[in-house]
Amino acid sequence: MKTFITTSIPYVNGPPHLGHAMEFTIADVLARYARLRGDEVILSIGTDEHGGKIAEKAESLKLTPQEFTDQMSQKFQDLATTLEISNDRFIRTTDKDHEARVQKIWESIKDDLYIKQYQAWYCTGDEAFFSDAVVKKNNNVCPEHNRPYEKIVEENYFFKLSKYNQRIKDLIVSNEFLIIPETKRNEILSLLDEGLEDISVSRPKSKIYWGIPVPGDESQVIYVWFEALLNYITVLGFPDKSDFKDYWPASYQVIGKDIIRFHAAIWPAILMSLGIATPKKLYVHGFINVDNLKMSKSLGNSIDPFAIVDQYGADAFRYFFLRHIPSYDDGNFSWEAMASSYQNELGNELGNAVQRTAVMVKNYLASELPEPESKKAYDQEIGSLIENCRFDKALEQIWLRVKNLNQFIEDQKPWSLYKAGEQKKLVLVLNSQIKALRYIADLLQPFMPDVSDKISLIFNSKQLNLPERTLFPRRDLD
Ligand SMILES: [Zn+2]
């Protein structure tokens, strides 16, 4: 089976934050799990790089937009490397190939485009338009960005979004286009009940120069959101490359809850206009609070994901954000919770089970291990939790196995068997521990690839490979 998985592509106006890091990790778990299952996978991530906000920011730093986006995009590529993300592609919306394909796509949806004189409110911070009602409610100032809405009177190209309202609704209701979790599915359905209006999909070049020109109309550039969404198919070489034919529709698109309207309403409409299938599943994750407060510039409480990885390592980061941020809801990060998860669950539970078993095999069995068995299939229940994006529950199930193993060791007391000279029983008990750990390593593979490899390296041959250091050395907070 061919499986295509995407994250949303972060807008490069600021450095990577915890939400980006968690989203990359989620998509990576889905991709690694699919590969374990034997699928051929393309995991695509990337960066969204056009628009007025980028040009504005670059100017303030005395850089060209290209220089600025080169630097910023690199930070996201570094984040992916740091988190051991196994992405096959990294698309930038400033890639020449993307730009050329976007222009071709524009030509092929021309029947759904028209020019209209337009009045609306715009916030460059969001690169989005707002209605009179929203602007009035917020007293003319965008609360997210603390900047006044700009009144815009322009002649723009519009896309006939309203035309697709019913068809999108039908697809979502039938779960042909499955939105996970249910709460987010309901949210978008009620939005569709209110009815979609046509949207502006270009801006005058006089206002925004950093973008892809509208083909055949030098006075306009394509609206940044509109072309950014197209990355999901330009990255596969739509329309002519075989990857597109082989891998589309996407099996999973992973996004945050703030951009659900773009991905569950506008994006499927564009695909319908192109006459191609919508994604199979859209998984919407929640927000991460820090110390139970929303991350914000004014609170100065945003946390650099690189700082967490520096202290605890990539696998502990991956574990924390997938186990302790509820998969179907918002969640909370604190350094205390991170430290406690690292010391207790990883160190005392998993680390100890590995360490104790390894030392007993060395001392009681002269480091001899049972023949490695042929690979067992991935646990069905845990597998289906992953497929439904219940990463928190999947890790809970794996941890139940870790806890059971520790309990088994406590109950069987291999050290007493050794003292009593009950060699036969001792071998049986230790072999059970080893088999359990080999399987736990396999189950952890999508979540903690490095830890999984390390456990396998210790136990997966006929001779124990005792590690020089424990898997999770103590890292006390200063
Ligand atoms: Zn704003």
Side-chain angles (χ1 to χ4, degrees):
M1 202 170 101
K2 299 241 191 320
T3 293
F4 179 49
I5 298 167
T6 70
T7 62
S8 64
I9 49 172
Y11 199 47
V12 295
N13 63 321
H17 58 60
L18 292 180
H20 302 127
M22 181 172 82
E23 187 168 311
F24 280 4
T25 306
I26 287 167
D28 187 57
V29 169
L30 291 169
R32 287 178 186 269
Y33 173 72
R35 288 191 203 103
L36 274 184
R37 215 173 40 193
D39 294 6
E40 289 172 68
V41 176
I42 293 179
L43 169 59
S44 180
I45 64 175
T47 41
D48 177 8
E49 306 185 7
H50 288 124
K53 186 156 53 167
I54 298 295
E56 207 178 72
K57 192 103 189 204
E59 274 161 31
S60 76
L61 295 166
K62 301 202 167 19
L63 296 170
T64 65
Q66 189 63 57
E67 287 166 343
F68 175 65
T69 56
D70 285 350
Q71 287 177 11
M72 295 306 289
S73 179
Q74 188 58 49
K75 291 183 206 282
F76 288 89
Q77 297 182 47
D78 292 345
L79 179 70
T81 308
T82 300
L83 290 171
E84 302 177 51
I85 306 303
S86 62
N87 57 299
D88 305 278
R89 306 271 161 97
F90 191 101
I91 183 171
R92 300 179 55 187
T93 55
T94 50
D95 290 342
K96 290 290 159 260
D97 186 68
H98 172 77
E99 295 181 346
R101 288 179 191 282
V102 164
Q103 290 187 321
K104 270 192 203 151
I105 290 168
W106 182 277
E107 300 279 10
S108 46
I109 60 167
K110 264 206 157 144
D111 286 352
D112 279 333
L113 301 175
Y114 60 94
I115 294 179
K116 190 174 101 172
Q117 156 78 241
Y118 183 53
Q119 284 200 30
W121 299 95
Y122 196 79
C123 171
T124 307
D126 302 272
E127 298 284 10
F129 296 97
F130 296 90
S131 65
D132 284 335
V134 171
V135 171
K136 205 166 168 194
K137 195 185 87 198
N138 293 330
N139 292 320
N140 296 327
V141 178
C142 171
E144 277 297 310
H145 301 96
N146 200 25
R147 58 198 284 169
Y149 295 102
E150 252 176 280
K151 177 90 178 178
I152 279 173
V153 185
E154 291 174 357
E155 202 168 74
N156 291 341
Y157 286 88
F158 272 69
F159 173 69
K160 293 178 188 165
L161 180 60
S162 56
K163 168 178 160 186
Y164 295 101
N165 202 338
Q166 189 57 44
R167 276 177 66 194
I168 297 167
K169 208 175 140 186
D170 293 344
L171 277 183
I172 295 174
V173 167
S174 70
N175 288 337
E176 205 177 312
F177 177 34
L178 179 65
I179 297 176
I180 305 172
E182 179 103 37
T183 48
K184 297 294 180 286
R185 179 178 177 268
N186 294 339
E187 201 178 287
I188 195 71
L189 282 173
S190 62
L191 194 92
L192 291 167
D193 281 340
E194 288 168 24
L196 298 169
E197 286 176 19
D198 293 352
I199 51 161
S200 162
V201 290
S202 73
R203 301 288 318 273
K205 200 169 182 177
S206 55
K207 300 251 176 72
I208 290 178
Y209 66 92
W210 182 240
I212 303 175
V214 167
D217 185 347
E218 282 300 302
S219 72
Q220 297 268 320
V221 297
I222 301 173
Y223 176 43
V224 57
W225 259 106
F226 190 77
E227 53 106 343
L229 286 166
L230 298 175
N231 94 85
Y232 303 128
I233 53 176
T234 61
V235 75
L236 294 176
F238 175 81
D240 51 301
K241 291 271 174 67
S242 65
D243 275 352
F244 176 74
K245 293 173 186 85
D246 293 342
Y247 283 89
W248 190 261
S251 299
Y252 289 93
Q253 298 210 269
V254 180
I255 63 162
K257 68 175 185 180
D258 52 332
I259 52 177
I260 184 168
R261 184 174 154 266
F262 288 99
H263 286 83
I266 299 173
W267 176 227
I270 298 171
L271 293 168
M272 286 171 184
S273 179
L274 284 166
I276 58 181
T278 50
K280 292 177 202 159
K281 291 178 186 166
L282 180 71
Y283 167 61
V284 186
H285 63 77
F287 284 163
I288 303 164
N289 298 320
V290 172
D291 299 324
N292 294 309
L293 294 170
K294 196 180 166 204
M295 271 188 281
S296 80
K297 277 199 183 120
S298 52
L299 282 170
N301 65 341
S302 94
I303 288 181
D304 177 8
F306 291 101
I308 300 174
V309 177
D310 274 352
Q311 184 147 1
Y312 291 104
D315 278 26
F317 182 103
R318 295 168 64 105
Y319 173 81
F320 181 87
F321 284 91
L322 269 63
R323 170 104 193 251
H324 294 293
I325 303 298
S327 303
Y328 284 7
D329 207 344
D330 292 347
N332 189 53
F333 172 84
S334 71
W335 284 104
E336 292 74 20
M338 181 73 212
S340 147
S341 150
Y342 182 83
Q343 272 153 27
N344 298 323
E345 291 154 2
L346 296 181
N348 297 343
E349 292 175 352
L350 178 60
N352 251 348
V354 170
Q355 191 68 17
R356 285 159 107 188
T357 302
V359 169
M360 288 190 269
V361 169
K362 177 174 176 262
N363 293 342
Y364 305 157
L365 302 182
S367 297
E368 240 178 79
L369 294 165
E371 191 81 45
E373 50 273 47
S374 52
K375 273 259 186 261
K376 261 168 86 181
Y378 203 88
D379 181 272
Q380 250 186 12
E381 192 192 343
I382 299 171
S384 93
L385 287 167
I386 296 174
E387 283 166 26
N388 290 307
C389 304
R390 287 247 60 159
F391 310 105
D392 49 355
K393 298 275 178 239
L395 279 166
E396 230 173 87
Q397 288 299 313
I398 298 174
W399 240 254
L400 214 55
R401 288 169 180 265
V402 174
K403 286 180 178 165
N404 287 342
L405 173 58
N406 280 321
Q407 191 57 50
F408 175 80
I409 298 172
E410 291 304 319
D411 293 343
Q412 299 297 324
K413 298 183 177 53
W415 50 90
S416 305
L417 295 172
Y418 178 72
K419 273 190 203 141
E422 293 194 52
Q423 187 64 17
K424 223 170 157 180
K425 178 134 194 242
L426 177 64
V427 172
L428 280 178
V429 167
L430 285 179
N431 284 357
S432 306
Q433 292 174 222
I434 293 155
K435 281 181 189 166
L437 283 169
R438 283 173 176 167
Y439 196 46
I440 286 167
D442 290 348
L443 295 176
L444 281 176
Q445 211 281 332
F447 296 94
M448 301 203 282
D450 188 41
V451 163
S452 164
D453 285 352
K454 282 181 178 154
I455 299 173
S456 296
L457 188 70
I458 300 169
F459 296 109
N460 270 16
S461 52
K462 287 204 70 185
Q463 196 69 24
L464 181 79
N465 201 339
L466 192 67
E468 274 170 35
R469 44 189 271 153
T470 57
L471 288 181
F472 304 102
R474 262 193 89 86
R475 287 187 173 97
D476 290 312
L477 285 172
D478 297 324

